[in-house]
Amino acid sequence: MKEGYKGLGVLMDAPDGPNAAIREMLRKGHERGACDAILVPMKVPSGDSYMHVLVDDVEMLDRAAPISPVLTVQGARAVTSLTRRGDEGVCIAAVMRPCEAEAVIELRKLFQVDLEHITIITMDSPGTVPLQDFARDPEEGERVFAEALATWDDSAMRPICQTCEKSNSAVGDLHLGLRGVQTGKVLLIPQGEKGLEAIAKLGLTPDHPIDEWKQASDKAMARKRGTRKANHEDLRKRASGLSGLLDLLGACINCHNCMRVCPICYCKQCKFDSPELRNTSSDYLDRADRSGSLRMPSDMLLFHMGRMSHMVLSCVSCGACEDACPTGVPVAQLFSLVAHDAQERFEYMPGRSSEEKRPLVTFEFEEFSEVED
Amino acid sequence: MTATITIDKPLDEGVRTLLRSMLEKGTVRAVLTLRRLEDGGGVAHCLVTDPAALAEAVPLLPVMPSQGGQVLSHLTQEEPFKEPVAAVVRPCEARAFVELMKRNQAFGDNLVLISPECPGVFPVQRVSGDPMDDDIDAYWRSTSEGKGADGLRPVCTGCELFEPIGVDMTLRLVGRSDLDKVLTVRLDTQRAEDMVKDLGLGKAKEDGKDPKGLEALRSARAKGRADLRAELDFTGEDMAEFSRTFGKCISCHACSKVCPICYCQMCYFEARAAAAGPAWWRNDLKRKGATRAPPGTVFFHVGRLLHMSISCVACGMCEDVCPVDIPVARIFKKVGEAAQEVFEYVPGRDPKEEIPIKTFVEDELHEVER
Amino acid sequence: MADKKKKEAGYEPKILSFCCNWCSYAGADLAGVSRLQMPANFRTIRVMCSSRVNPVYVFTALERGADGVIVTGCHPGDCHYARGNYFTRRRQALLEKVLEEIGFDRERVMLRWISASEGPEFASTMEEFDATIRSKGKNPLSEEVFL
Ligand code: SF4
Ligand code: SF4
Ligand code: SF4
Ligand code: SF4
Ligand code: SF4
Ligand code: FES
C-alpha cells in the first residue's frame, strides 16, 4: 500500500447504488478541475455491451457504468491507446477494475503508458460475467451481475474471478470500497499523493475508519485464496506433462486471439506471428516426416509456451485471454497458475507499484543458487 | 465429359482410402487433411506424410478449425511444392487459395486439390466439448436428401458456391442415396485421371446424371442466401445500424487474423492505431465531447471491407471466432457480393482472372464520373 | 452521439478535395488566379495522380469529421501516368458501393475529371459540391462517439 494511506476514507452517500454515486463523484471531480477528462466504461448505443469511453462532456456520464458487468476491452489497452505517445498534459481520471489497473502499472514499466497525469480509480470487484455468455444473452448477464453485486456471491462470475485474491486491492490512487460497507454508502479510500490531492479537490476529508471494509475484504480474499489453491491444485494435475498440457490446449485453433487481447502482450509485431516462424514448403515437409504428420498452422505449443515465457511474470490474471478464446480453452486459468508460481519465486506482484522493477530486468548478487549447477 | 470412380467405402473412410493409396503408391509426397489429434481431442489441418497417420484423418468432418486456403498459403508462400501434394479442402477454402495466389501469397504448382460438394460446416466451437456424433448422422442424412443440415454456420446456409470450382477431384456427396456405402469421386482434370489410373481403385466411368437432391440443395441455398441478405438491413444515410452492430466489438481483430484474404503481416489498421497520438483523441473530445478508447473500431471494419471484401469467399471463419457474436461473415458476404457484382467478379473462380481493382476496362462505370 | 445530432444554423461544411498534380490542381490554381467565385470551405490535398487516393483515405476523412470528400483527376486518356485514373474510377465504384451497403450517404463522396485548363469547371464543381453537402447538413459520423 502506498504512502498516504492512513486508515481513513470518506463515507459517501449512495442512495441510488454505487454506480450512481461514482458517476456523481466523477462529475464533481470534473467540475472542480480534479481532472480534464474521464475514462470510464459506458453502455454502447445498442445496449448490449460496455466500452471504455474518454469523456469530456459530463452530460454523457449518465450512460457511464463504472462497475460494468463484463470485461470487454481490457482497460489497460484503453489507457495505452490514449497515452502511449504521451498525453500532452491532459489529466485523466481512469475508472477500472483492480486487474485492469495492475496491467496499467505493468505497462508503465514497459513504457507503454504515461501515468503522469492519470488518476486511477478502482473499486471492489464482484467479478465479471463471461464475455461470451454476456454476448449471447445480455439481459441475463445483467441480471446475474446485479445479483453478484448485491450478494457478493461470485459463483456465476468467470472462473478466474472466483480465484482472484486481488479483486479488492486498492492498487490505484483512489479506491471505492463496497464490501462490508453499510448499504446505501460507498467508502472512498485515497492512496498516495495523487489520491489525497483528488480528495482535496473534491472538497472531502478522509475521516471514516476503513477497518470494517478491510476486515470484510480480508475475509473474502482469504476465501478466494482457498478457492484458488484448490483450483490450481486441480489444474496443476491436469496440466502436468506434455500430454496433459496438450489435452488442456486440445481445442486451440492457434488463432492467437488470447495474445491480441492480453494487455501485457503489447508488441505491435508478435514474434509468434512473425515471418521468423514461417518455413518453406520443403521445411514443412521435412517436419511432417519426423512424426508422419504436422499440425497446421504449426507451432501451437511453441506459441503458448513462448508467450508464457515472455510475459507471465507480468500476467495480472485478468482473464481477457480466456474471454476472447473462440474455442473455450481455459487459457487464463493456465496462465494464472504459472504466473502465480513464477511470481511467488521472485516475490513479485505485477501492478503492486510502478517503482518496483520487473524481476527479469534486475537481480541480486546472492540469489537462486539452486539453479546454478 | 468427365470421368468418375467409385470407392467402395463411404465418406471419411472412402477419402482415407483414396488418400492412403495415393500416399502409398507415391503418387503424392504428402496430403493435407483434417485429422484428429493424438492429445486433447482437437481437430486440425495436418500435413501427413506417413500413410499410417491417416488412420486419424477426418477429411469430411464438418468443421473448419482454420481456413484451408490460409493453411495452404502458409505452406507454399515461399516456394511451391516440388512434388505433388494432395489437399482435401472445402470449396470456399479452394477459392480463398486462388485469391491468395493472385496476391502472390501462395503457389499452386504441384498441388492436387480434392474438394467435396459441401454440405456446410458446424461452428468451430464444436471442435471441442460436445461430441458431434449425433448431429453428424443427421447431417449426412440431410445431405443425401439434398437438404441443409441444422446447426450449420449461418453463412453456409446461404452459400450457393458449394460445388467446387477449379479443383482436380470433386467428392460427390449431395443428394446421393448411396452415401453410406460408397464414395463417388469425379475426376475434373487430366492430371487427376492420370493419378487415379494406377491406384487400383477401379476403372473410371462416364459421369452419371446429377441426382435430384443436388438441384434441391441448389434451390435451398438460393433461398438461404436471400434470407441472409434480408436479415441484415443497414439502409439509411448515417451508418447508424452498421455502427450499432459493431458497437460491442472488442477490437481483437480475430476476424481479420483468421480471414484467409487478410494475409498482411502488419495490418494497416493496427499500425495506424498504434501510431495514433493524443492529437487524435483531443480532436475527438473537442468535436464530440467523448471518444471511444481504443479508437477506430468501426473504422477498422469499414476499412477491412474496402480492402478485402472484393475477394471475400464467404467462408465464415471471421464470424466463428468473434467472441461477441457479431455476424461478421454475414455482413462481409453481403457487402462483398454487392461489390463483386459491380465488377461481375467471383473470387476464386479462375486463377487467371485479375482482381477487379488491379485492372480496368476503358469504357465502363461512367455512373461514378459525376 | 446520434441523439445529439442537429442541423446547426450557420453550419459551414468541411470539404476535402484530393487534386491531381497534373490536372485539377493546376485547374484549381487557374480558378484562383482568374479570381473566380469559389466556396472557401474546402481544403486540398495534392496527389501525384488521382489513383494515389486509396478509398480508405476517403473514409478516414469522413470518419474524422469531413462533411464531403471530392476526388478529382485528369480526364480518361489524359492521365500523366497513362492509366492511373481508370483505376481511380474502379476504386470509386468500390467505395460508393461499400458506402451504400453500410448505409452511409454515398453522395458525400464524388469523383470528377477536371483538366489543367478547366479553371471555371473547377470553380463550378466546388460550388456544386458545396451546395450538395450544405443541403445535407453535418456528417452524422462527426458527432458519433462509438466509432
Ligand atoms: S495472459 Fe491472460 S490473464 Fe494474464 S494478463 Fe494476459 S490476458 Fe490477462
Ligand atoms: S488458446 Fe484460444 S485464443 Fe489462444 S490461440 Fe488457442 S484458440 Fe486462439
Ligand atoms: S484489413 Fe487490410 S491491411 Fe488489414 S490485414 Fe486485411 S487486407 Fe491487410
Ligand atoms: S471476411 Fe470472413 S467470410 Fe470473408 S473470406 Fe474473410 S473470413 Fe471468410
Ligand atoms: S472478431 Fe468480433 S470482436 Fe473481434 S474485431 Fe472482429 S468483430 Fe470485433
Ligand atoms: S495523373 Fe492526373 S489522374 Fe493520373
Side-chain angles (χ1 to χ4, degrees), chain B residues 137-346:
Chain B
D137 287 344
Y139 173 90
W140 288 121
R141 221 172 309 118
S142 313
T143 304
S144 73
E145 289 162 11
K147 287 194 291 222
D150 290 331
L152 298 180
R153 272 182 179 172
V155 275
C156 292
T157 64
C159 170
E160 289 189 272
L161 299 173
F162 66 94
E163 298 166 73
I165 328 178
V167 298
D168 293 281
M169 301 182 203
T170 300
L171 307 174
R172 308 218 54 195
L173 307 172
V174 173
R176 305 193 83 92
S177 51
D178 55 2
L179 208 57
D180 51 348
K181 296 181 195 70
V182 296
L183 178 73
T184 311
V185 184
R186 189 176 64 209
L187 308 171
D188 297 307
T189 58
Q190 189 57 47
R191 172 166 65 168
E193 285 193 39
D194 294 345
M195 282 187 162
V196 165
K197 215 178 285 161
D198 306 324
L199 294 180
L201 292 169
K203 246 181 113 70
K205 295 188 303 278
E206 197 69 354
D207 194 9
K209 256 202 352 240
D210 280 352
K212 276 212 200 67
L214 186 58
E215 196 44 57
L217 191 64
R218 285 181 190 139
S219 346
R221 290 291 180 82
K223 185 178 169 300
R225 175 163 178 250
D227 292 347
L228 283 186
R229 296 170 80 92
E231 170 196 321
L232 293 163
D233 184 9
F234 294 138
T235 48
E237 305 229 300
D238 52 5
M239 231 175 84
E241 200 45 45
F242 187 86
S243 306
R244 277 170 72 91
T245 305
F246 285 102
K248 62 177 173 178
C249 165
I250 62 166
S251 301
C252 63
H253 295 190
C255 46
S256 107
K257 293 301 153 169
V258 298
C259 171
I261 311 301
C262 274
Y263 64 83
C264 310
Q265 192 61 242
M266 172 47 76
C267 174
Y268 172 80
F269 302 98
E270 276 165 26
R272 195 166 166 281
W280 179 283
W281 50 264
R282 294 197 72 176
N283 186 313
D284 266 10
L285 281 191
K286 228 187 291 155
R287 200 150 34 87
K288 312 174 181 176
T291 183
R292 180 177 175 156
T297 304
V298 172
F299 176 76
F300 163 69
H301 294 286
V302 179
R304 196 166 91 86
L305 279 171
L306 289 169
H307 274 185
M308 57 62 64
S309 68
I310 195 78
S311 289
C312 168
V313 295
C315 61
M317 274 312 288
C318 46
E319 185 163 329
D320 257 16
V321 298
C322 176
V324 293
D325 286 357
I326 294 171
V328 199
R330 279 171 272 176
I331 295 168
F332 275 65
K333 176 174 161 69
K334 186 178 181 191
V335 179
E337 284 174 357
Q340 291 153 18
E341 270 159 27
V342 173
F343 305 101
E344 291 164 18
Y345 182 69
V346 178

Side-chain angles (χ1 to χ4, degrees), chain B residues 57-78:
Chain B
V58 282
L60 296 175
L61 191 75
V63 66
M64 193 182 287
S66 38
Q67 228 274 5
Q70 186 180 59
V71 168
L72 286 172
S73 150
H74 283 195
L75 286 170
T76 64
Q77 65 182 353
E78 305 234 339

Side-chain angles (χ1 to χ4, degrees), chain A residues 16-61:
Chain A
D16 301 320
N19 268 319
I22 301 172
R23 277 195 294 264
E24 201 36 53
M25 178 192 85
L26 294 170
R27 195 172 287 130
K28 214 159 111 195
H30 190 272
E31 264 167 28
R32 300 188 172 207
C35 62
D36 303 321
I38 297 154
L39 182 71
V40 62
M42 202 177 262
K43 206 170 205 161
V44 298
S46 48
D48 52 2
S49 191
Y50 295 81
M51 291 294 153
H52 289 279
V53 173
L54 183 67
V55 184
D56 180 20
D57 179 355
V58 285
E59 264 177 51
M60 284 183 203
L61 281 179

